[in-house]
Amino acid sequence: MEAKPTILVVDDDPAVIHAIANSLQDTCLVKVATSGIKCIQLAGQEPIPDLILLDVVMPEMDGFRTLEILKSDNITQEIPVIFVTANTEEMEEEKGLEAGAVDYITKPIRPIIVLARVKTQLTIKRQKDELLLQARIDALTGLSNRLALTEAIQREIPSANRHHTPLSLLIIDIDHFKGYNDLYGHPAG
């Protein structure tokens, strides 16, 4: 059975959090935060949210700044964010979308609309995740491919530099391996 997607709902108004959480609780695991700072903390913790519903106007740190920080972190940068706000000005919506939000919902919220937009974004995210996985795996052998290797190197070099640990990479070519694959099949190879 497939696990429920995780949604992080961020708003400084408990009534809004309650309304959104109630509309999503049957289809999603809901995490909540009442500030941008708490959002950033929870977004980087397991289970990593599949989607964040983020209020724009909050004390201390607004949604735009929160989104900027989320987009600058390797762990949270790919999490889609839907802005939820009482501000209905077209320029604000444009600003939110240009900042990297995938959608913009205005308050007062309509639970059916929130659920529909969340489902749409979760479908898009699931499809994107599947495509990214397929792009990293060789279809014939089921092994990681060059893209996966490149990404692993890009992750490991900064880590090795930070921790002052050695990092080695070995690339081996086996002569006449095609004969082995032809005789025993690619999965064995």
Side-chain angles (χ1 to χ4, degrees):
M1 185 164 63
E2 193 173 311
K4 285 183 175 182
T6 300
I7 307 294
L8 175 56
V9 179
V10 186
D11 202 298
D12 60 324
D13 183 347
V16 173
I17 288 177
H18 184 71
I20 293 174
N22 278 346
S23 67
L24 300 175
Q25 68 184 355
D26 292 338
T27 56
C28 305
L29 171 64
V30 179
K31 294 168 52 171
V32 299
T34 56
S35 70
I37 294 166
K38 190 67 176 170
C39 169
I40 293 162
Q41 292 170 350
L42 289 175
Q45 295 174 2
E46 292 293 334
I48 302 293
D50 294 293
L51 178 66
I52 298 173
L53 298 175
L54 178 61
D55 187 15
V56 174
V57 180
M58 294 183 291
E60 297 177 35
M61 182 186 305
D62 71 8
F64 292 114
R65 178 68 181 131
T66 303
L67 179 60
E68 182 182 335
I69 293 169
L70 290 169
K71 292 297 181 188
S72 70
D73 185 315
N74 288 338
I75 295 171
T76 59
Q77 67 187 2
E78 294 299 322
I79 301 171
V81 174
I82 297 176
F83 273 135
V84 181
T85 183
N87 193 332
T88 59
E89 293 180 28
E90 192 174 298
M91 288 179 60
E92 286 297 302
E93 183 174 353
E94 179 184 7
K95 179 180 174 184
L97 295 171
E98 286 181 353
V102 296
D103 204 347
Y104 194 92
I105 299 173
T106 56
K107 297 177 187 176
I109 66 154
R110 295 170 291 162
I112 293 171
I113 300 303
V114 170
L115 183 59
R117 291 186 177 194
V118 164
K119 284 181 176 180
T120 297
Q121 291 305 322
L122 290 173
T123 298
I124 291 168
K125 182 180 185 304
R126 183 182 47 76
Q127 291 169 340
K128 178 182 175 186
D129 290 348
E130 288 174 10
L131 285 172
L132 289 173
L133 179 63
Q134 289 176 10
R136 291 176 178 90
I137 303 295
D138 179 86
L140 182 62
T141 64
L143 299 173
S144 297
N145 63 17
R146 170 69 188 266
L147 175 60
L149 174 66
T150 301
E151 290 173 342
I153 291 169
Q154 290 171 343
R155 276 191 316 271
E156 294 303 322
I157 289 174
S159 177
N161 287 338
R162 253 191 331 272
H163 297 100
H164 305 290
T165 57
L167 176 66
S168 299
L169 173 65
L170 205 62
I171 298 178
I172 300 171
D173 182 24
I174 301 173
D175 291 336
H176 311 292
F177 198 71
K178 181 183 179 327
Y180 185 90
N181 278 344
D182 290 346
L183 184 60
Y184 297 105
H186 288 281

